[in-house]
Short mmCIF file of all heavy atoms in Angstrom, two decimals:
data_model
loop_
_atom_site.label_atom_id
_atom_site.label_comp_id
_atom_site.label_asym_id
_atom_site.label_seq_id
_atom_site.Cartn_x
_atom_site.Cartn_y
_atom_site.Cartn_z
N MET Y 237 -32.22 -35.81 -5.77
CA MET Y 237 -32.91 -34.60 -5.38
C MET Y 237 -33.04 -34.58 -3.86
O MET Y 237 -33.44 -35.55 -3.25
CB MET Y 237 -34.28 -34.56 -6.05
CG MET Y 237 -35.04 -33.31 -5.74
SD MET Y 237 -36.75 -33.42 -6.32
CE MET Y 237 -36.65 -32.38 -7.74
N ASN Y 238 -32.69 -33.46 -3.25
CA ASN Y 238 -32.79 -33.33 -1.81
C ASN Y 238 -34.23 -33.06 -1.39
O ASN Y 238 -34.91 -32.28 -2.02
CB ASN Y 238 -31.93 -32.16 -1.30
CG ASN Y 238 -30.45 -32.44 -1.43
OD1 ASN Y 238 -30.06 -33.59 -1.54
ND2 ASN Y 238 -29.65 -31.40 -1.40
N GLN Y 239 -34.63 -33.74 -0.35
CA GLN Y 239 -35.96 -33.47 0.18
C GLN Y 239 -35.88 -32.23 1.06
O GLN Y 239 -34.94 -32.06 1.82
CB GLN Y 239 -36.47 -34.64 1.01
CG GLN Y 239 -36.84 -35.84 0.18
CD GLN Y 239 -37.48 -36.90 1.06
OE1 GLN Y 239 -37.50 -36.81 2.28
NE2 GLN Y 239 -38.01 -37.92 0.43
N SER Y 240 -36.87 -31.34 0.95
CA SER Y 240 -36.88 -30.15 1.79
C SER Y 240 -37.24 -30.54 3.21
O SER Y 240 -37.98 -31.49 3.44
CB SER Y 240 -37.85 -29.10 1.25
OG SER Y 240 -39.16 -29.61 1.29
N LYS Y 241 -36.70 -29.79 4.16
CA LYS Y 241 -37.00 -30.06 5.56
C LYS Y 241 -38.42 -29.63 5.88
O LYS Y 241 -38.95 -28.70 5.28
CB LYS Y 241 -36.02 -29.33 6.47
CG LYS Y 241 -34.63 -29.91 6.37
CD LYS Y 241 -33.73 -29.26 7.38
CE LYS Y 241 -32.36 -29.90 7.31
NZ LYS Y 241 -31.44 -29.36 8.29
N ASN Y 242 -38.99 -30.30 6.85
CA ASN Y 242 -40.34 -29.97 7.31
C ASN Y 242 -40.36 -28.53 7.80
O ASN Y 242 -39.51 -28.12 8.58
CB ASN Y 242 -40.71 -30.94 8.44
CG ASN Y 242 -42.12 -30.77 8.91
OD1 ASN Y 242 -42.75 -29.75 8.69
ND2 ASN Y 242 -42.63 -31.80 9.55
N ASN Y 243 -41.34 -27.74 7.38
CA ASN Y 243 -41.42 -26.33 7.78
C ASN Y 243 -41.64 -26.16 9.27
O ASN Y 243 -41.33 -25.11 9.82
CB ASN Y 243 -42.55 -25.63 7.02
CG ASN Y 243 -42.21 -25.42 5.56
OD1 ASN Y 243 -41.04 -25.40 5.20
ND2 ASN Y 243 -43.21 -25.28 4.73
N THR Y 244 -42.15 -27.18 9.94
CA THR Y 244 -42.39 -27.06 11.37
C THR Y 244 -41.17 -27.51 12.18
O THR Y 244 -41.17 -27.40 13.39
CB THR Y 244 -43.61 -27.91 11.79
OG1 THR Y 244 -43.35 -29.28 11.47
CG2 THR Y 244 -44.87 -27.44 11.11
N GLU Y 245 -40.12 -27.99 11.52
CA GLU Y 245 -38.93 -28.43 12.22
C GLU Y 245 -38.28 -27.27 12.95
O GLU Y 245 -38.15 -26.17 12.42
CB GLU Y 245 -37.94 -29.02 11.22
CG GLU Y 245 -36.69 -29.58 11.86
CD GLU Y 245 -35.77 -30.21 10.84
OE1 GLU Y 245 -36.27 -30.94 9.97
OE2 GLU Y 245 -34.57 -29.95 10.91
N LEU Y 246 -37.89 -27.51 14.18
CA LEU Y 246 -37.29 -26.48 15.00
C LEU Y 246 -35.81 -26.35 14.66
O LEU Y 246 -35.09 -27.34 14.65
CB LEU Y 246 -37.46 -26.84 16.47
CG LEU Y 246 -36.92 -25.86 17.49
CD1 LEU Y 246 -37.68 -24.54 17.38
CD2 LEU Y 246 -37.08 -26.43 18.87
N HIS Y 247 -35.37 -25.16 14.38
CA HIS Y 247 -33.96 -24.90 14.07
C HIS Y 247 -33.36 -24.16 15.25
O HIS Y 247 -33.55 -22.96 15.41
CB HIS Y 247 -33.83 -24.09 12.78
CG HIS Y 247 -34.33 -24.85 11.60
ND1 HIS Y 247 -33.59 -25.83 10.98
CD2 HIS Y 247 -35.50 -24.81 10.94
CE1 HIS Y 247 -34.27 -26.34 9.98
NE2 HIS Y 247 -35.45 -25.74 9.94
N PHE Y 248 -32.62 -24.89 16.08
CA PHE Y 248 -32.09 -24.34 17.32
C PHE Y 248 -31.21 -23.13 17.07
O PHE Y 248 -31.27 -22.14 17.79
CB PHE Y 248 -31.33 -25.42 18.08
CG PHE Y 248 -31.06 -25.07 19.51
CD1 PHE Y 248 -32.06 -25.14 20.45
CD2 PHE Y 248 -29.80 -24.66 19.91
CE1 PHE Y 248 -31.83 -24.81 21.77
CE2 PHE Y 248 -29.56 -24.33 21.23
CZ PHE Y 248 -30.58 -24.40 22.16
N ASP Y 249 -30.38 -23.19 16.03
CA ASP Y 249 -29.48 -22.06 15.72
C ASP Y 249 -30.26 -20.80 15.37
O ASP Y 249 -29.75 -19.70 15.56
CB ASP Y 249 -28.55 -22.41 14.57
CG ASP Y 249 -27.53 -23.47 14.97
OD1 ASP Y 249 -27.26 -23.63 16.18
OD2 ASP Y 249 -26.99 -24.13 14.07
N ALA Y 250 -31.46 -20.94 14.86
CA ALA Y 250 -32.26 -19.78 14.46
C ALA Y 250 -33.00 -19.14 15.63
O ALA Y 250 -33.54 -18.05 15.49
CB ALA Y 250 -33.26 -20.19 13.38
N LEU Y 251 -33.01 -19.80 16.78
CA LEU Y 251 -33.71 -19.26 17.94
C LEU Y 251 -32.93 -18.07 18.52
O LEU Y 251 -31.71 -17.99 18.39
CB LEU Y 251 -33.84 -20.33 19.02
CG LEU Y 251 -34.80 -21.47 18.72
CD1 LEU Y 251 -34.67 -22.55 19.78
CD2 LEU Y 251 -36.23 -20.97 18.66
N PRO Y 252 -33.63 -17.16 19.19
CA PRO Y 252 -32.94 -16.04 19.84
C PRO Y 252 -32.09 -16.53 21.00
O PRO Y 252 -32.24 -17.66 21.48
CB PRO Y 252 -34.09 -15.16 20.32
CG PRO Y 252 -35.26 -16.07 20.45
CD PRO Y 252 -35.08 -17.13 19.40
N ASP Y 253 -31.18 -15.68 21.48
CA ASP Y 253 -30.31 -16.04 22.60
C ASP Y 253 -31.07 -16.18 23.91
O ASP Y 253 -30.63 -16.87 24.81
CB ASP Y 253 -29.19 -15.01 22.76
CG ASP Y 253 -28.19 -15.08 21.62
OD1 ASP Y 253 -28.05 -16.16 21.00
OD2 ASP Y 253 -27.54 -14.06 21.36
N ILE Y 254 -32.21 -15.52 24.01
CA ILE Y 254 -33.06 -15.61 25.20
C ILE Y 254 -34.39 -16.22 24.78
O ILE Y 254 -35.07 -15.70 23.90
CB ILE Y 254 -33.30 -14.22 25.84
CG1 ILE Y 254 -31.98 -13.53 26.18
CG2 ILE Y 254 -34.21 -14.34 27.06
CD1 ILE Y 254 -31.15 -14.25 27.22
N LEU Y 255 -34.74 -17.34 25.41
CA LEU Y 255 -35.93 -18.09 25.03
C LEU Y 255 -37.08 -17.84 26.00
O LEU Y 255 -36.87 -17.52 27.17
CB LEU Y 255 -35.63 -19.59 25.02
CG LEU Y 255 -34.47 -20.06 24.15
CD1 LEU Y 255 -34.25 -21.54 24.34
CD2 LEU Y 255 -34.72 -19.72 22.70
N THR Y 256 -38.27 -18.06 25.51
CA THR Y 256 -39.47 -18.05 26.34
C THR Y 256 -39.74 -19.47 26.83
O THR Y 256 -39.10 -20.43 26.37
CB THR Y 256 -40.69 -17.57 25.53
OG1 THR Y 256 -40.93 -18.53 24.48
CG2 THR Y 256 -40.48 -16.19 24.95
N VAL Y 257 -40.68 -19.60 27.72
CA VAL Y 257 -41.08 -20.94 28.18
C VAL Y 257 -41.59 -21.75 26.99
O VAL Y 257 -41.25 -22.93 26.84
CB VAL Y 257 -42.13 -20.85 29.31
CG1 VAL Y 257 -42.74 -22.21 29.60
CG2 VAL Y 257 -41.50 -20.26 30.57
N GLN Y 258 -42.38 -21.13 26.13
CA GLN Y 258 -42.93 -21.83 24.96
C GLN Y 258 -41.81 -22.34 24.05
O GLN Y 258 -41.85 -23.48 23.58
CB GLN Y 258 -43.86 -20.89 24.18
CG GLN Y 258 -44.50 -21.52 22.97
CD GLN Y 258 -45.45 -22.66 23.32
OE1 GLN Y 258 -46.03 -22.70 24.39
NE2 GLN Y 258 -45.59 -23.61 22.42
N GLN Y 259 -40.81 -21.53 23.79
CA GLN Y 259 -39.69 -21.96 22.94
C GLN Y 259 -38.90 -23.07 23.61
O GLN Y 259 -38.47 -24.02 22.94
CB GLN Y 259 -38.79 -20.76 22.63
CG GLN Y 259 -39.42 -19.77 21.69
CD GLN Y 259 -38.69 -18.44 21.66
OE1 GLN Y 259 -38.20 -17.97 22.68
NE2 GLN Y 259 -38.64 -17.84 20.48
N THR Y 260 -38.72 -22.98 24.91
CA THR Y 260 -38.01 -24.02 25.65
C THR Y 260 -38.78 -25.33 25.60
O THR Y 260 -38.18 -26.41 25.43
CB THR Y 260 -37.76 -23.58 27.11
OG1 THR Y 260 -37.06 -22.33 27.09
CG2 THR Y 260 -36.97 -24.60 27.87
N ARG Y 261 -40.09 -25.25 25.71
CA ARG Y 261 -40.93 -26.46 25.57
C ARG Y 261 -40.68 -27.12 24.23
O ARG Y 261 -40.54 -28.33 24.14
CB ARG Y 261 -42.42 -26.09 25.63
CG ARG Y 261 -42.94 -25.71 26.97
CD ARG Y 261 -44.42 -25.39 26.88
NE ARG Y 261 -45.13 -26.59 26.44
CZ ARG Y 261 -46.34 -26.58 25.88
NH1 ARG Y 261 -46.97 -25.45 25.69
NH2 ARG Y 261 -46.91 -27.69 25.54
N ALA Y 262 -40.68 -26.31 23.18
CA ALA Y 262 -40.50 -26.85 21.82
C ALA Y 262 -39.12 -27.48 21.65
O ALA Y 262 -39.00 -28.56 21.06
CB ALA Y 262 -40.71 -25.74 20.79
N VAL Y 263 -38.10 -26.84 22.19
CA VAL Y 263 -36.73 -27.36 22.07
C VAL Y 263 -36.61 -28.71 22.77
O VAL Y 263 -36.04 -29.65 22.22
CB VAL Y 263 -35.72 -26.36 22.67
CG1 VAL Y 263 -34.35 -27.00 22.85
CG2 VAL Y 263 -35.61 -25.11 21.80
N LEU Y 264 -37.16 -28.80 23.97
CA LEU Y 264 -37.01 -30.02 24.77
C LEU Y 264 -38.11 -31.04 24.52
O LEU Y 264 -37.98 -32.19 24.94
CB LEU Y 264 -36.96 -29.67 26.26
CG LEU Y 264 -35.77 -28.79 26.68
CD1 LEU Y 264 -35.88 -28.43 28.16
CD2 LEU Y 264 -34.45 -29.49 26.38
N GLY Y 265 -39.18 -30.62 23.88
CA GLY Y 265 -40.28 -31.55 23.61
C GLY Y 265 -41.00 -31.97 24.87
O GLY Y 265 -41.39 -33.14 25.00
N ILE Y 266 -41.15 -31.04 25.81
CA ILE Y 266 -41.82 -31.34 27.08
C ILE Y 266 -42.94 -30.35 27.32
O ILE Y 266 -43.07 -29.36 26.60
CB ILE Y 266 -40.82 -31.33 28.26
CG1 ILE Y 266 -40.18 -29.95 28.42
CG2 ILE Y 266 -39.77 -32.41 28.09
CD1 ILE Y 266 -39.25 -29.83 29.62
N GLY Y 267 -43.73 -30.59 28.33
CA GLY Y 267 -44.87 -29.73 28.64
C GLY Y 267 -44.49 -28.50 29.45
O GLY Y 267 -43.38 -28.39 29.98
N ARG Y 268 -45.44 -27.62 29.56
CA ARG Y 268 -45.25 -26.35 30.27
C ARG Y 268 -44.89 -26.58 31.74
O ARG Y 268 -43.96 -25.97 32.27
CB ARG Y 268 -46.54 -25.51 30.16
CG ARG Y 268 -46.44 -24.14 30.75
CD ARG Y 268 -47.73 -23.38 30.53
NE ARG Y 268 -48.86 -23.99 31.21
CZ ARG Y 268 -49.21 -23.72 32.46
NH1 ARG Y 268 -48.56 -22.85 33.16
NH2 ARG Y 268 -50.24 -24.33 33.00
N THR Y 269 -45.61 -27.47 32.39
CA THR Y 269 -45.35 -27.74 33.81
C THR Y 269 -43.94 -28.28 34.00
O THR Y 269 -43.25 -27.89 34.96
CB THR Y 269 -46.38 -28.73 34.37
OG1 THR Y 269 -47.69 -28.18 34.17
CG2 THR Y 269 -46.16 -29.00 35.84
N ALA Y 270 -43.50 -29.14 33.13
CA ALA Y 270 -42.14 -29.70 33.24
C ALA Y 270 -41.09 -28.61 33.08
O ALA Y 270 -40.07 -28.62 33.79
CB ALA Y 270 -41.94 -30.80 32.19
N VAL Y 271 -41.31 -27.66 32.17
CA VAL Y 271 -40.36 -26.56 32.01
C VAL Y 271 -40.30 -25.75 33.30
O VAL Y 271 -39.21 -25.44 33.80
CB VAL Y 271 -40.73 -25.65 30.82
CG1 VAL Y 271 -39.86 -24.40 30.79
CG2 VAL Y 271 -40.61 -26.39 29.50
N TYR Y 272 -41.46 -25.41 33.86
CA TYR Y 272 -41.47 -24.63 35.09
C TYR Y 272 -40.77 -25.37 36.23
O TYR Y 272 -40.06 -24.76 37.03
CB TYR Y 272 -42.89 -24.23 35.49
CG TYR Y 272 -43.42 -23.09 34.67
CD1 TYR Y 272 -44.48 -23.27 33.79
CD2 TYR Y 272 -42.85 -21.82 34.76
CE1 TYR Y 272 -44.96 -22.22 33.03
CE2 TYR Y 272 -43.32 -20.76 33.99
CZ TYR Y 272 -44.38 -20.97 33.13
OH TYR Y 272 -44.84 -19.92 32.38
N ARG Y 273 -40.92 -26.68 36.30
CA ARG Y 273 -40.23 -27.46 37.33
C ARG Y 273 -38.71 -27.36 37.17
O ARG Y 273 -37.98 -27.21 38.14
CB ARG Y 273 -40.65 -28.93 37.28
CG ARG Y 273 -41.92 -29.20 37.99
CD ARG Y 273 -42.13 -30.70 38.17
NE ARG Y 273 -43.54 -30.97 38.07
CZ ARG Y 273 -44.11 -31.89 37.30
NH1 ARG Y 273 -43.37 -32.67 36.54
NH2 ARG Y 273 -45.40 -32.05 37.28
N LEU Y 274 -38.24 -27.47 35.92
CA LEU Y 274 -36.80 -27.36 35.66
C LEU Y 274 -36.27 -25.98 36.02
O LEU Y 274 -35.18 -25.85 36.57
CB LEU Y 274 -36.51 -27.67 34.19
CG LEU Y 274 -36.72 -29.11 33.75
CD1 LEU Y 274 -36.63 -29.23 32.24
CD2 LEU Y 274 -35.70 -30.02 34.42
N LEU Y 275 -37.05 -24.95 35.73
CA LEU Y 275 -36.63 -23.58 36.03
C LEU Y 275 -36.61 -23.34 37.54
O LEU Y 275 -35.64 -22.80 38.08
CB LEU Y 275 -37.56 -22.58 35.35
CG LEU Y 275 -37.63 -22.63 33.83
CD1 LEU Y 275 -38.64 -21.61 33.31
CD2 LEU Y 275 -36.26 -22.41 33.21
N GLU Y 276 -37.67 -23.76 38.21
CA GLU Y 276 -37.78 -23.51 39.65
C GLU Y 276 -36.80 -24.35 40.46
O GLU Y 276 -36.38 -23.94 41.54
CB GLU Y 276 -39.22 -23.72 40.10
CG GLU Y 276 -40.13 -22.63 39.54
CD GLU Y 276 -41.61 -22.89 39.72
OE1 GLU Y 276 -41.98 -23.93 40.30
OE2 GLU Y 276 -42.41 -22.05 39.27
N SER Y 277 -36.39 -25.50 39.93
CA SER Y 277 -35.40 -26.34 40.62
C SER Y 277 -33.97 -25.88 40.35
O SER Y 277 -33.04 -26.35 41.01
CB SER Y 277 -35.55 -27.80 40.19
OG SER Y 277 -35.10 -27.94 38.84
N GLY Y 278 -33.80 -24.97 39.39
CA GLY Y 278 -32.47 -24.49 39.04
C GLY Y 278 -31.72 -25.38 38.07
O GLY Y 278 -30.56 -25.14 37.78
N LYS Y 279 -32.38 -26.41 37.57
CA LYS Y 279 -31.72 -27.29 36.60
C LYS Y 279 -31.47 -26.57 35.27
O LYS Y 279 -30.53 -26.91 34.55
CB LYS Y 279 -32.53 -28.56 36.37
CG LYS Y 279 -32.53 -29.46 37.60
CD LYS Y 279 -33.29 -30.73 37.37
CE LYS Y 279 -33.23 -31.58 38.63
NZ LYS Y 279 -34.00 -32.81 38.49
N ILE Y 280 -32.32 -25.61 34.98
CA ILE Y 280 -32.09 -24.71 33.84
C ILE Y 280 -32.10 -23.30 34.43
O ILE Y 280 -33.07 -22.90 35.08
CB ILE Y 280 -33.18 -24.85 32.76
CG1 ILE Y 280 -33.13 -26.24 32.13
CG2 ILE Y 280 -33.00 -23.77 31.69
CD1 ILE Y 280 -34.18 -26.48 31.06
N ARG Y 281 -31.00 -22.58 34.21
CA ARG Y 281 -30.89 -21.22 34.73
C ARG Y 281 -31.84 -20.29 33.97
O ARG Y 281 -32.06 -20.48 32.77
CB ARG Y 281 -29.47 -20.68 34.58
CG ARG Y 281 -28.46 -21.37 35.47
CD ARG Y 281 -27.05 -20.82 35.28
NE ARG Y 281 -26.56 -21.11 33.93
CZ ARG Y 281 -26.38 -20.19 32.96
NH1 ARG Y 281 -26.64 -18.93 33.19
NH2 ARG Y 281 -25.93 -20.55 31.77
N CYS Y 282 -32.39 -19.33 34.67
CA CYS Y 282 -33.30 -18.38 34.05
C CYS Y 282 -33.33 -17.10 34.87
O CYS Y 282 -32.71 -17.02 35.93
CB CYS Y 282 -34.71 -18.96 33.95
SG CYS Y 282 -35.50 -19.21 35.57
N PHE Y 283 -34.02 -16.12 34.36
CA PHE Y 283 -34.29 -14.91 35.12
C PHE Y 283 -35.71 -14.49 34.79
O PHE Y 283 -36.32 -15.01 33.86
CB PHE Y 283 -33.27 -13.80 34.82
CG PHE Y 283 -33.21 -13.38 33.38
CD1 PHE Y 283 -33.93 -12.29 32.92
CD2 PHE Y 283 -32.41 -14.07 32.47
CE1 PHE Y 283 -33.87 -11.90 31.59
CE2 PHE Y 283 -32.33 -13.68 31.15
CZ PHE Y 283 -33.06 -12.59 30.70
N GLN Y 284 -36.25 -13.60 35.61
CA GLN Y 284 -37.62 -13.15 35.40
C GLN Y 284 -37.66 -11.66 35.11
O GLN Y 284 -36.90 -10.89 35.69
CB GLN Y 284 -38.49 -13.43 36.62
CG GLN Y 284 -38.92 -14.87 36.74
CD GLN Y 284 -39.88 -15.07 37.88
OE1 GLN Y 284 -39.44 -15.37 38.98
NE2 GLN Y 284 -41.16 -14.89 37.63
N ILE Y 285 -38.54 -11.30 34.21
CA ILE Y 285 -38.90 -9.91 33.98
C ILE Y 285 -40.39 -9.86 34.22
O ILE Y 285 -41.17 -10.45 33.45
CB ILE Y 285 -38.53 -9.45 32.55
CG1 ILE Y 285 -37.01 -9.54 32.36
CG2 ILE Y 285 -39.05 -8.05 32.31
CD1 ILE Y 285 -36.54 -9.16 30.98
N GLY Y 286 -40.77 -9.22 35.32
CA GLY Y 286 -42.17 -9.28 35.72
C GLY Y 286 -42.52 -10.72 36.05
O GLY Y 286 -41.81 -11.38 36.79
N ASN Y 287 -43.58 -11.21 35.45
CA ASN Y 287 -43.99 -12.60 35.66
C ASN Y 287 -43.43 -13.54 34.60
O ASN Y 287 -43.68 -14.75 34.68
CB ASN Y 287 -45.52 -12.70 35.66
CG ASN Y 287 -46.12 -12.07 36.88
OD1 ASN Y 287 -45.51 -12.06 37.95
ND2 ASN Y 287 -47.32 -11.52 36.75
N ALA Y 288 -42.73 -13.01 33.63
CA ALA Y 288 -42.24 -13.82 32.51
C ALA Y 288 -40.85 -14.38 32.79
O ALA Y 288 -39.93 -13.64 33.16
CB ALA Y 288 -42.21 -12.99 31.23
N TYR Y 289 -40.71 -15.69 32.62
CA TYR Y 289 -39.41 -16.33 32.72
C TYR Y 289 -38.67 -16.13 31.40
O TYR Y 289 -39.25 -16.31 30.32
CB TYR Y 289 -39.54 -17.83 32.97
CG TYR Y 289 -39.89 -18.18 34.39
CD1 TYR Y 289 -41.21 -18.31 34.79
CD2 TYR Y 289 -38.89 -18.39 35.33
CE1 TYR Y 289 -41.53 -18.64 36.09
CE2 TYR Y 289 -39.20 -18.73 36.64
CZ TYR Y 289 -40.52 -18.84 37.02
OH TYR Y 289 -40.83 -19.18 38.30
N LYS Y 290 -37.39 -15.82 31.49
CA LYS Y 290 -36.52 -15.69 30.32
C LYS Y 290 -35.39 -16.69 30.51
O LYS Y 290 -34.76 -16.74 31.57
CB LYS Y 290 -35.96 -14.27 30.20
CG LYS Y 290 -37.06 -13.21 30.06
CD LYS Y 290 -37.86 -13.42 28.80
CE LYS Y 290 -38.95 -12.37 28.66
NZ LYS Y 290 -39.76 -12.55 27.48
N ILE Y 291 -35.15 -17.49 29.48
CA ILE Y 291 -34.21 -18.60 29.59
C ILE Y 291 -33.09 -18.42 28.57
O ILE Y 291 -33.35 -18.45 27.35
CB ILE Y 291 -34.92 -19.95 29.35
CG1 ILE Y 291 -36.07 -20.11 30.34
CG2 ILE Y 291 -33.96 -21.10 29.44
CD1 ILE Y 291 -37.44 -20.04 29.73
N PRO Y 292 -31.85 -18.21 29.03
CA PRO Y 292 -30.75 -18.13 28.07
C PRO Y 292 -30.62 -19.44 27.29
O PRO Y 292 -30.69 -20.53 27.87
CB PRO Y 292 -29.52 -17.89 28.95
CG PRO Y 292 -30.07 -17.30 30.21
CD PRO Y 292 -31.41 -17.96 30.39
N LYS Y 293 -30.46 -19.33 25.98
CA LYS Y 293 -30.31 -20.52 25.15
C LYS Y 293 -29.13 -21.37 25.64
O LYS Y 293 -29.20 -22.60 25.64
CB LYS Y 293 -30.13 -20.12 23.68
CG LYS Y 293 -30.05 -21.28 22.74
CD LYS Y 293 -30.22 -20.91 21.28
CE LYS Y 293 -29.28 -19.90 20.76
NZ LYS Y 293 -29.37 -19.75 19.28
N ALA Y 294 -28.07 -20.70 26.11
CA ALA Y 294 -26.91 -21.42 26.63
C ALA Y 294 -27.28 -22.30 27.82
O ALA Y 294 -26.72 -23.39 27.99
CB ALA Y 294 -25.81 -20.43 27.01
N SER Y 295 -28.24 -21.86 28.64
CA SER Y 295 -28.69 -22.66 29.79
C SER Y 295 -29.36 -23.95 29.34
O SER Y 295 -29.19 -24.99 29.97
CB SER Y 295 -29.67 -21.86 30.65
OG SER Y 295 -29.05 -20.76 31.22
N VAL Y 296 -30.12 -23.86 28.27
CA VAL Y 296 -30.78 -25.06 27.74
C VAL Y 296 -29.73 -26.02 27.20
O VAL Y 296 -29.80 -27.23 27.46
CB VAL Y 296 -31.82 -24.68 26.66
CG1 VAL Y 296 -32.45 -25.93 26.06
CG2 VAL Y 296 -32.89 -23.77 27.24
N LEU Y 297 -28.74 -25.50 26.50
CA LEU Y 297 -27.66 -26.35 25.98
C LEU Y 297 -26.89 -27.02 27.13
O LEU Y 297 -26.56 -28.20 27.05
CB LEU Y 297 -26.70 -25.53 25.12
CG LEU Y 297 -27.23 -25.11 23.76
CD1 LEU Y 297 -26.27 -24.14 23.09
CD2 LEU Y 297 -27.47 -26.32 22.88
N GLU Y 298 -26.62 -26.26 28.20
CA GLU Y 298 -25.93 -26.83 29.36
C GLU Y 298 -26.76 -27.94 30.00
O GLU Y 298 -26.22 -28.97 30.39
CB GLU Y 298 -25.64 -25.73 30.39
CG GLU Y 298 -24.59 -24.75 29.93
CD GLU Y 298 -24.54 -23.48 30.78
OE1 GLU Y 298 -25.26 -23.41 31.82
OE2 GLU Y 298 -23.79 -22.56 30.41
N PHE Y 299 -28.06 -27.73 30.10
CA PHE Y 299 -28.94 -28.74 30.66
C PHE Y 299 -28.92 -30.02 29.81
O PHE Y 299 -28.81 -31.13 30.34
CB PHE Y 299 -30.38 -28.21 30.77
CG PHE Y 299 -31.38 -29.27 31.12
CD1 PHE Y 299 -31.46 -29.77 32.42
CD2 PHE Y 299 -32.22 -29.79 30.16
CE1 PHE Y 299 -32.37 -30.76 32.74
CE2 PHE Y 299 -33.13 -30.78 30.47
CZ PHE Y 299 -33.20 -31.27 31.77
N ILE Y 300 -28.99 -29.84 28.50
CA ILE Y 300 -28.96 -31.00 27.60
C ILE Y 300 -27.64 -31.75 27.74
O ILE Y 300 -27.62 -32.98 27.86
CB ILE Y 300 -29.20 -30.57 26.14
CG1 ILE Y 300 -30.63 -30.04 25.98
CG2 ILE Y 300 -28.91 -31.72 25.17
CD1 ILE Y 300 -30.89 -29.33 24.67
N GLN Y 301 -26.53 -31.01 27.77
CA GLN Y 301 -25.22 -31.64 27.90
C GLN Y 301 -25.09 -32.37 29.23
O GLN Y 301 -24.63 -33.51 29.28
CB GLN Y 301 -24.10 -30.60 27.78
CG GLN Y 301 -22.71 -31.20 27.81
CD GLN Y 301 -22.47 -32.15 26.66
OE1 GLN Y 301 -22.69 -31.80 25.51
NE2 GLN Y 301 -22.01 -33.36 26.95
N ALA Y 302 -25.53 -31.73 30.31
CA ALA Y 302 -25.45 -32.37 31.63
C ALA Y 302 -26.32 -33.63 31.67
O ALA Y 302 -25.93 -34.64 32.27
CB ALA Y 302 -25.88 -31.39 32.71
N SER Y 303 -27.48 -33.58 31.04
CA SER Y 303 -28.36 -34.76 31.00
C SER Y 303 -27.72 -35.88 30.23
O SER Y 303 -27.81 -37.05 30.63
CB SER Y 303 -29.70 -34.39 30.37
OG SER Y 303 -30.37 -33.44 31.17
N CYS Y 304 -27.07 -35.56 29.13
CA CYS Y 304 -26.37 -36.59 28.34
C CYS Y 304 -25.20 -37.18 29.12
O CYS Y 304 -24.97 -38.38 29.09
CB CYS Y 304 -25.87 -36.01 27.02
SG CYS Y 304 -27.17 -35.65 25.85
N ASP Y 305 -24.46 -36.33 29.85
CA ASP Y 305 -23.32 -36.79 30.63
C ASP Y 305 -23.77 -37.75 31.73
O ASP Y 305 -23.12 -38.75 32.00
CB ASP Y 305 -22.58 -35.61 31.26
CG ASP Y 305 -21.84 -34.78 30.23
OD1 ASP Y 305 -21.67 -35.24 29.07
OD2 ASP Y 305 -21.44 -33.64 30.57
N ARG Y 306 -24.92 -37.45 32.37
CA ARG Y 306 -25.44 -38.32 33.43
C ARG Y 306 -25.88 -39.66 32.87
O ARG Y 306 -25.82 -40.67 33.55
CB ARG Y 306 -26.62 -37.66 34.13
CG ARG Y 306 -26.23 -36.59 35.11
CD ARG Y 306 -27.39 -36.20 36.00
NE ARG Y 306 -28.57 -35.79 35.26
CZ ARG Y 306 -28.85 -34.54 34.90
NH1 ARG Y 306 -28.04 -33.56 35.21
NH2 ARG Y 306 -29.94 -34.26 34.24
N LYS Y 307 -26.33 -39.67 31.63
CA LYS Y 307 -26.83 -40.90 31.02
C LYS Y 307 -25.71 -41.69 30.35
O LYS Y 307 -25.95 -42.70 29.73
CB LYS Y 307 -27.90 -40.59 29.97
CG LYS Y 307 -29.10 -39.85 30.52
CD LYS Y 307 -29.97 -40.78 31.31
CE LYS Y 307 -31.22 -40.02 31.72
NZ LYS Y 307 -31.98 -40.64 32.71
N GLY Y 308 -24.48 -41.18 30.38
CA GLY Y 308 -23.37 -41.90 29.77
C GLY Y 308 -23.13 -41.49 28.34
O GLY Y 308 -22.44 -42.18 27.61
N GLY Y 309 -23.68 -40.36 27.92
CA GLY Y 309 -23.43 -39.85 26.56
C GLY Y 309 -24.38 -40.43 25.54
O GLY Y 309 -25.18 -41.30 25.81
N VAL Y 310 -24.27 -39.88 24.37
CA VAL Y 310 -25.13 -40.29 23.28
C VAL Y 310 -24.36 -41.12 22.30
O VAL Y 310 -23.21 -40.91 22.06
CB VAL Y 310 -25.72 -39.06 22.56
CG1 VAL Y 310 -26.54 -39.47 21.36
CG2 VAL Y 310 -26.55 -38.25 23.50
#
């Protein structure tokens, strides 16, 4: 019998193409301040609408891939 997945488990494929800071926090498992640092440093590409940061999901994937490449892969 298959065990059902935890309802709180994050499903990256189910996320929208444009993420909020909160969704990016959940994906990366980091705090709000750390997300803002990554955005403001340009390590994760984003754009702003008013005061709200919008983060393309592809940018988060690129950041993850680049981080893995710097660490020698997974």
Side-chain angles (χ1 to χ4, degrees):
M237 183 189 255
N238 290 341
Q239 288 186 351
S240 63
K241 291 186 177 182
N242 185 340
N243 289 336
T244 60
E245 183 177 316
L246 181 64
H247 296 281
F248 195 76
D249 291 338
L251 290 171
D253 290 335
I254 304 297
L255 305 175
T256 64
V257 169
Q258 181 65 28
Q259 289 165 323
T260 304
R261 287 181 62 201
V263 167
L264 297 176
I266 61 176
R268 185 178 63 89
T269 303
V271 172
Y272 283 113
R273 278 193 214 129
L274 291 170
L275 299 178
E276 291 169 0
S277 71
K279 291 182 179 178
I280 295 179
R281 291 179 295 109
C282 67
F283 59 95
Q284 282 185 268
I285 297 178
N287 290 329
Y289 283 92
K290 301 297 180 181
I291 303 111
K293 183 165 57 171
S295 295
V296 177
L297 287 172
E298 290 166 6
F299 170 75
I300 293 168
Q301 184 62 51
S303 296
C304 289
D305 290 346
R306 283 193 305 269
K307 301 285 186 194
V310 176

